[in-house]
Amino acid sequence: MAKFKYVARDTSGNKVEDEITAKNQAAARQQLRRNGLNVLSIAESKKPWYQMTLGKPKPRVAGNDLVIFTRQFATMVEAGLPVIEILDILLEQTDDPGFKIVVTDVRAAVRSGTDLSSALAKWPKIFSPLYVNLIRAGEASGELDVILKRLSAYLEKTASLKRKIISAMAYPGVSLAAILLITIGLLTFIVPMFKEMFDDLGADLPMPTRIVMAISDTLINRWYVSVGLVVGLLVALKLTRKSARGRYFLDSMLLKAPIAGELFQKVALSRFSRTFSTMLKSGVPMLASLDIVASTAGNGVVEEAILASREAVRQGESLATPLSESTVFPPMVVRMTSVGERTGALEALMEKVADFYDEQVDTAVDSLTSVIEPVLICVMGVLVGAIVIAIFLPILSLQQNI
C-alpha cells in the first residue's frame, strides 16, 4: 500500500486537497470517484526530509502555534467560512510536522461528521479540557466566532504570563549554574594541587580543610557517588510530584519560598481569575468551570482550595465563603468574588482581578531580579571564600610554626 496526494473537486465544486492510501494510482483514482470526487491531479506522496532523517514526527504543538491557530480560526469563522474549509487553510499554513498530524486528524474527523469539539477532544495533550469545553459551548450557542476570539485572547494572555515566569527564572537559573560550575572547577582542578603539597609536607590539616579535601576527592575519584545522589534526588522529586500528598507538600513549600513564593502565588491567582472569567463569559456553568479551573491551576494547594469551593457551591453556599477560608486567596479576591456574585457580574470582576495580578506579576518579576542578584553574589562569595579559607588555613599554620 502506498500514499497518494491528490487535488480534486467535490460535488459542490469545492477544491479538496488530501492524501489517500491505495495499492496503486489507478486504485486511488477509482476510490476517489466512488467518493464523489473529480480528480484534478494525483501523485504518490514522498517522505519529507524530516521523516527520512529523524523518523516519523510525533503529534505536538510547539511555541505559539496553538495561539496562532486559534486566532486565525476565529478570524475565518467570523468571515463566514465553513469549518472544513478553515481546517484546509490552516493545514496548508501549518509548518510544524507534529502539529500538522493533529490538524490533519481533526480535519478528517470533522469531514466524517464529528463535531469540532469532539474531534479536538481526541488530542487531550494538545487541546486542554478548557479549550474543548469552550469550543463545545461555542457550538451549542452558535457563537463559535465569539468564543474563539475569547479563547485566543486567553491563550495570548497565558502565553505572556508564561514568558514572564521564564524570564524571571532564567537569570537565577543561569547564575546558579555558573556558581555551581565555578565551585566544581575549584574543587576538581585547584584543590588537588594543594592536596599534593600538603601530603608532601605532612601537615596536620584543620577540620575545614579536611572537609574540602574529602569533597574534592569524592568529585574526582568517586564521581559516581555524586552523580547517584543527583539522580536519586531528581527521581525522588519526580515520584513525590506524582503523588497527591507529595505534590501538595512541594507546591505549599513553593508558595512559602522566601523570595519567589509571592511571585508564584500571584501567578496562580492570575491564572485562576483569567480562566474562571473566560469560562463564565462563554456560558459554561459555574460547577463545570470550577472543575476545569482546578485542573488548570498548576498548583496543588490552589487546586485543592478550588475543589473545596466547588463542593461548597454544590451544597448551596456562595463561592466567596470557602475562598475566604483558604490561605491562598487574599481578602481582595474574596471581596471581588462576593461583590460579583451579588451583582451578577462575576466574570467581569474576575477579569479585572486577572488584569490586576498580571500587573502585580510584572512588578514581582522586577523585584525578584533586583533582589536575587545580591543574594547570588553572596552565595558565590560564601562558597568560594570557604574553599579559599580552607586551603589557606594549613599554609598560615605552617608559617606560624616556621
Side-chain angles (χ1 to χ4, degrees), residues 246-318:
R247 181 173 175 239
Y248 184 90
F249 173 76
L250 291 175
D251 286 340
S252 63
M253 290 297 101
L254 199 63
L255 292 175
K256 294 174 184 176
I259 298 176
E262 187 180 355
L263 171 63
F264 288 121
Q265 183 184 14
K266 289 174 179 177
V267 169
L269 291 171
S270 173
R271 184 178 294 170
F272 160 76
S273 307
R274 180 82 58 198
T275 308
F276 195 31
S277 170
T278 304
M279 298 295 291
L280 292 177
K281 277 185 176 181
S282 303
V284 180
M286 181 179 286
L287 290 176
S289 297
L290 288 171
D291 251 343
I292 295 167
V293 170
S295 66
T296 58
N299 186 285
V301 180
V302 178
E303 181 180 345
E304 186 171 292
I306 296 169
L307 290 175
S309 302
R310 176 184 176 278
E311 191 58 34
V313 171
R314 186 193 290 278
Q315 294 174 5
E317 294 183 29
S318 69

Side-chain angles (χ1 to χ4, degrees), residues 113-262:
T114 306
D115 292 337
L116 177 61
S117 56
S118 301
L120 297 175
K122 291 170 61 181
W123 300 95
K125 291 184 178 180
I126 308 297
F127 303 102
S128 66
L130 178 143
Y131 198 106
V132 173
N133 278 277
L134 287 182
I135 297 295
R136 187 172 288 124
E139 289 176 318
S141 63
E143 297 183 341
L144 186 58
D145 56 336
V146 177
I147 297 293
L148 280 166
K149 278 186 178 179
R150 200 168 289 151
L151 184 56
S152 59
Y154 168 80
L155 290 173
E156 286 164 1
K157 290 279 188 180
T158 305
S160 174
L161 187 63
K162 188 176 180 180
R163 285 194 296 271
K164 290 173 187 175
I165 300 303
I166 291 173
S167 66
M169 294 295 104
Y171 176 74
V174 172
S175 300
L176 283 173
I179 292 170
L180 186 62
L181 288 173
I182 291 170
T183 305
I184 292 173
L186 287 172
L187 291 170
T188 54
F189 294 105
I190 306 300
V191 172
M193 297 179 185
F194 286 92
K195 184 176 184 303
E196 291 178 4
M197 181 182 72
F198 295 149
D199 289 342
D200 292 339
L201 292 174
D204 187 19
L205 301 178
M207 180 60 70
T209 309
R210 290 203 299 271
I211 292 173
V212 170
M213 295 297 175
I215 295 172
S216 174
D217 182 66
T218 302
L219 286 173
I220 296 170
N221 299 320
R222 289 186 290 276
W223 55 268
Y224 48 87
V225 175
S226 305
V227 173
L229 287 173
V230 173
V231 172
L233 179 61
L234 293 176
V235 171
L237 283 173
K238 189 173 182 179
L239 293 175
T240 304
R241 191 79 185 165
K242 281 186 176 181
S243 67
R245 287 186 178 181
R247 181 173 175 239
Y248 184 90
F249 173 76
L250 291 175
D251 286 340
S252 63
M253 290 297 101
L254 199 63
L255 292 175
K256 294 174 184 176
I259 298 176
E262 187 180 355

Side-chain angles (χ1 to χ4, degrees), residues 33-48:
R33 288 196 195 98
R34 284 200 301 267
N35 293 339
L37 296 174
N38 181 26
V39 181
L40 302 177
S41 65
I42 186 168
E44 186 174 354
S45 298
K46 294 182 179 179
K47 282 189 177 182

Side-chain angles (χ1 to χ4, degrees), residues 47-59 97-98 101:
K47 282 189 177 182
W49 63 269
Y50 55 80
Q51 288 190 15
M52 295 177 184
T53 55
L54 301 176
K56 189 177 180 180
K58 294 182 179 180
I101 293 172

Side-chain angles (χ1 to χ4, degrees), residues 168 171-172 175 257-262 363-379:
Y171 176 74
S175 300
I259 298 176
E262 187 180 355
T363 305
V365 167
D366 294 338
S367 301
L368 180 65
T369 305
S370 61
V371 169
I372 203 74
E373 187 171 356
V375 171
L376 290 174
I377 290 172
C378 290
V379 170

